[in-house]
Amino acid sequence: MKRQSIYNSLNKSKPGVLALFDPDRIPVNNIKKLTEFVCEQGVAGILVGSSLLVSPHFDKFVATVKKNTDKPVILFPGGSHQVSSYADAIFFLSLLSGRNSEFLVGEQVKAVFLIKEYDLEVIPVGYILVESGNYTAVEYMSNTKPIPRSKPEIAVAHALTGEYFGMKYIYLEAGSGADKSVPENMIKKIKQTISIPLVVGGGIRAEKDAQEIIEAGADFIVLGSIIEKSQEQFKKIMRSIK
Ligand code: 1GP
């Protein structure tokens, strides 16, 4: 890895919150206000990405986020088309829980030359999809099955595989708008086994959930939909975990 400045500075904020901005759900004219808002509330960084990406303004979106914050702006791509030179870094995701080679390695191969050209800091992430009680966009778009909630040992095996592959984070994902966030016992068991930082996201909407997930061992939680739905509730969550 050429450099790890974003990775190292992020890890100084553990445990912390990463805000997720989905360009398909946030209008361009709201970006400045929303970026300032989440930064005032103390997020460690801002992820930008979407399972699909319908918006034709991806570059402009990332550039506007970057212009309005000193926090790290990190791409969280749903595919090789979500690479922007305006970001600081990219979560170089491999969907380890699936057996669809496109999302294990194919999309990544399509993206690497652009990532190199843009000189983005690359943060390899083992991405693990967990059953959430509803059919999520990431499940549909990746054409993969999530790990059953009742099988934490399968999730542990995938997380350890990611660590042994040399990945820098494990991201446990219930999917945006998940009915149920990732179960605590799964988080605990993974945390007891791996030694790289753990990111948990999907369906976190209540203070209690956020607290329990952090207590279970998440180094970062990712909050997306709640920022769009209720800024008051987002504030409450941020206050509750300080
Ligand atoms: C999705 O984990 C993120 O990739 C965030 O999910 O939108 O449910 O907060 P939410």
Side-chain angles (χ1 to χ4, degrees):
M1 208 61 45
K2 195 165 51 176
R3 54 188 154 74
Q4 297 196 332
S5 57
I6 298 293
Y7 181 71
N8 290 338
S9 78
L10 263 186
N11 287 338
K12 286 181 191 140
S13 312
K14 291 188 306 188
V17 173
L18 298 169
L20 170 64
F21 286 179
D22 183 335
D24 284 345
R25 298 201 304 236
I26 298 172
V28 171
N29 57 7
N30 268 3
I31 304 169
K32 182 176 187 294
K33 226 171 91 187
L34 217 50
T35 302
E36 288 168 353
F37 167 70
V38 297
C39 292
E40 276 162 22
Q41 301 308 313
V43 298
I46 299 176
L47 303 180
V48 182
S50 181
S51 295
L52 178 59
L53 193 65
V54 176
S55 164
H57 306 298
F58 187 68
D59 244 354
K60 188 175 173 194
F61 192 101
V62 179
T64 312
V65 175
K66 178 67 194 159
K67 205 172 129 191
N68 289 286
T69 183
D70 295 330
K71 302 280 183 186
V73 177
I74 304 160
L75 300 171
F76 178 55
S80 56
H81 56 307
Q82 296 177 36
V83 180
S84 168
S85 61
Y86 296 102
D88 297 304
I90 182 166
F91 273 4
F92 197 66
L93 304 168
S94 179
L95 181 50
L96 296 180
S97 54
R99 297 296 179 269
N100 179 350
S101 60
E102 265 315 293
F103 288 91
L104 274 165
V105 70
E107 286 297 307
Q108 296 81 342
V109 168
K110 291 179 210 162
V112 287
F113 287 121
L114 210 49
I115 293 171
K116 191 170 173 61
E117 172 70 22
Y118 293 162
D119 198 28
L120 296 171
E121 180 174 325
V122 175
I123 303 173
V125 175
Y127 192 51
I128 296 175
L129 188 56
V130 178
E131 183 195 350
S132 64
N134 57 329
Y135 193 33
T136 58
V138 58
E139 196 179 332
Y140 178 80
M141 290 305 296
S142 67
N143 196 19
T144 67
K145 281 186 189 163
I147 293 176
R149 301 175 69 75
S150 58
K151 301 286 179 197
E153 65 283 0
I154 298 181
V156 172
H158 283 78
L160 196 54
T161 300
E163 177 170 342
Y164 289 170
F165 271 146
M167 286 156 175
K168 298 291 182 191
Y169 287 133
I170 294 298
Y171 189 136
L172 284 179
E173 172 71 275
S176 191
D179 272 355
K180 298 175 199 153
S181 50
V182 177
E184 281 164 65
N185 68 327
M186 188 180 274
I187 298 169
K188 277 186 191 154
K189 285 187 177 162
I190 290 177
K191 193 63 189 174
Q192 283 160 8
T193 308
I194 65 170
S195 54
I196 53 175
L198 184 58
V199 182
V200 179
I204 304 172
R205 293 177 284 267
E207 297 99 296
K208 189 170 165 282
D209 295 340
Q211 285 163 352
E212 287 174 356
I213 286 170
I214 289 174
E215 271 162 33
D219 295 288
F220 293 99
I221 59 168
V222 181
L223 300 177
S225 319
I226 197 64
I227 302 168
E228 302 148 29
K229 283 195 188 125
S230 167
Q231 296 190 2
E232 272 315 303
Q233 182 56 22
F234 176 75
K235 272 190 193 174
K236 281 188 194 163
I237 297 175
M238 293 301 291
R239 274 200 298 266
S240 76
I241 57 177
K242 269 177 192 160

